[in-house]
Amino acid sequence: MALTNSQYDQFMHIYEQRRLDNEYRRRKRYESVIKKIPEIKALDDSISTLSVQQGRRLLEGDNLALSSLKEKLHELSQEKAALLKEGGYPADYLDLHYTCPDCRDTGYIGTRKCHCFQKAVIDLLYTQSNLQDILKKENFDTCSLEYYSGSHIDPLTGRSSLEAMQIALRSCHEFVDTFSSEFRNLLLYGDTGVGKSFLSHCIAKELLDQSFSVIYFTAARLFDIFAKNTFHREEEAEMDYEHIYNCDLLIIDDLGTEMSNRFTVSQLFVCLNERILRQKSTLISTNLALEDLKNIYSERIFSRITSSYTVLRLTGDDIRIQKKLMNRI
C-alpha cells in the first residue's frame, strides 16, 4: 500500500522530531557532565581543533594525515571514556541515543524502509481499519471448524455446513495469497452467525500485517458516511469517503441491515462500480439471499456482484448461540 503524501510527511515529521529530541537530550546530558567533569570539554575542544588541522593537511596533499588523525582521535576518545567511567557514567553516555539504532531514527537503512517504519505503517493501517481490537481475537489462528456440522446439509447447494466452511476457508486463504497479483472481490452470504464476519476479520488481519490498507464498515455506518458527505460535507466524513474509494480492501459488513432507499442503492452502485474500475478489492458479507440482493439493490448491482465477485455461501447453526450453550454446560 502506498502512503499518501500527507501520511508520508507525517511519518517523516515524527522521525525528524525524534532526532531533535535525541539531540536535545544529548546536549542536556553533556551540560550536566561538564559541570562535574570539566576536563571533558577540554578534550572535546582538542578533538575539534585536531580534526580541523588534520583535515587541512589532508586537503594540502598530506596522505598520512588521515591515519595520524585516527590514531590521535582514538587516544583522546579513550581518555574521554576513562573520565566518564571515573565519574560514574557509561562510556556512551554522551553519544546520541536513538529510538531505533538500526536506522538512527531516519526511517531508512540505505534506500530501504527500516523495520520501524514498516511497523509504524502497519499501526496506522490498523487504526484506520476500525478493526484494531477484534483482530486480536478473530483471525486464521483462532479459526475452528468444530462448530460446523457434517450432517447439516444445505438444501440449496447440497453441501454440509462443514464442507461449505472448508471451501470458504480455502477461498479466503487464496484471496490473501494472491492479493498483490490478482484483483478479486468476495461476497460471503448465508445464515446468521455462521462466521461470515469472522472470515472477513481473518482476511483483514493478514492483509494489514502485509501493509495493505483495509477499511471496515458496517453497511449502516457506510451509508451514514455517504449521507454526511453528500448532504452535510462534514470534514471527517470527507476523509472517510476518500478512504472508502482508495483503500486496498473495503469490507462492507452486514449489508441489508441498513434502511434501504433510493439513495443507499445509488450510493452502493457507485461505490462498488468505482472500486471495480479502480481495481480495488471489496468484501461484502450479508445475511440476505441472492434473490433478496437483486430485489433490494437492483439488477445492476446484482449483476456487478455476480460477475465480479467470488460468491461463497455459509450455512449452519448460529455459532454465538452454540458457544453460549457450551458455556452453560
Side-chain angles (χ1 to χ4, degrees), residues 18 66 86 95 108 120 139 144 150 159 169 171 196 203 212 241 280 284 305 308:
R18 284 181 186 174
L66 184 59
E86 290 174 11
D95 295 343
Y108 283 83
N139 51 69
S144 173
R159 298 191 185 106
L169 264 175
S171 294
K196 299 184 296 296
I203 290 172
F212 290 106
Y241 193 76
K280 298 290 188 180
I284 301 172
I305 291 175
S308 304

Side-chain angles (χ1 to χ4, degrees), residues 1-8 11 113 117 121 124-125:
M1 172 257 181
L3 293 172
T4 64
N5 289 336
S6 62
Q7 287 172 332
Y8 182 83
F11 281 126
K113 290 185 177 70
F117 191 104
V121 171
L124 172 66
L125 295 174

Side-chain angles (χ1 to χ4, degrees), residues 135-311:
L135 297 189
K136 297 174 184 177
K137 298 180 291 184
E138 298 191 0
N139 51 69
F140 283 128
D141 290 336
T142 63
C143 183
S144 173
L145 295 175
E146 66 176 308
Y147 302 104
Y148 299 90
S149 170
S151 58
H152 186 293
I153 305 300
D154 179 10
L156 190 63
T157 63
R159 298 191 185 106
S160 69
S161 62
L162 176 60
E163 186 181 1
M165 184 57 174
Q166 289 171 331
I167 292 172
L169 264 175
R170 286 197 297 270
S171 294
C172 290
H173 277 292
E174 186 178 358
F175 181 83
V176 169
D177 293 341
T178 62
F179 191 82
S180 61
S181 58
E182 295 184 32
F183 169 63
R184 295 187 178 191
N185 302 291
L186 285 179
L187 172 70
L188 302 174
Y189 84 105
D191 298 337
T192 301
V194 291
K196 299 184 296 296
S197 295
F198 189 100
L199 284 177
S200 69
H201 296 159
C202 293
I203 290 172
K205 185 179 190 308
E206 293 296 313
L207 295 181
L208 284 166
D209 287 346
Q210 295 177 42
S211 298
F212 290 106
S213 56
V214 179
I215 305 294
Y216 166 94
F217 289 115
T218 63
R221 173 63 179 143
L222 179 72
F223 292 120
D224 181 56
I225 291 169
F226 287 152
K228 287 180 178 177
N229 184 69
T230 302
F231 302 116
H232 304 292
R233 307 300 296 179
E234 295 183 9
E235 183 177 352
E236 183 179 351
E238 288 183 16
M239 292 178 61
D240 287 336
Y241 193 76
E242 287 300 313
H243 291 318
I244 287 166
Y245 282 98
N246 294 319
C247 65
D248 296 318
L249 175 65
L250 172 65
I251 298 175
I252 306 173
D253 197 19
D254 277 338
L255 185 67
T257 56
E258 79 288 348
M259 184 174 293
S260 180
N261 51 47
R262 290 176 62 185
F263 174 79
T264 58
V265 170
S266 66
Q267 288 294 307
L268 181 62
F269 176 80
V270 170
C271 177
L272 300 186
N273 192 57
E274 183 62 27
R275 288 188 60 81
I276 290 171
L277 293 174
R278 297 187 187 192
Q279 298 283 281
K280 298 290 188 180
S281 295
T282 306
L283 189 161
I284 301 172
S285 72
T286 180
N287 297 334
L288 297 174
L290 294 182
E291 191 64 27
D292 293 330
L293 280 175
K294 182 166 63 174
N295 293 335
I296 294 173
Y297 296 105
S298 80
E299 185 73 40
R300 286 200 309 169
I301 290 177
F302 184 74
S303 175
R304 286 292 186 277
I305 291 175
T306 54
S307 63
S308 304
Y309 284 61
T310 298
V311 179

Side-chain angles (χ1 to χ4, degrees), residues 144 146-147 318-329:
S144 173
E146 66 176 308
Y147 302 104
D318 192 321
I319 293 173
R320 287 163 291 195
I321 295 176
Q322 292 186 62
K323 288 182 177 180
K324 287 181 181 179
L325 291 174
M326 291 173 63
N327 290 333
R328 291 178 184 177
I329 298 174

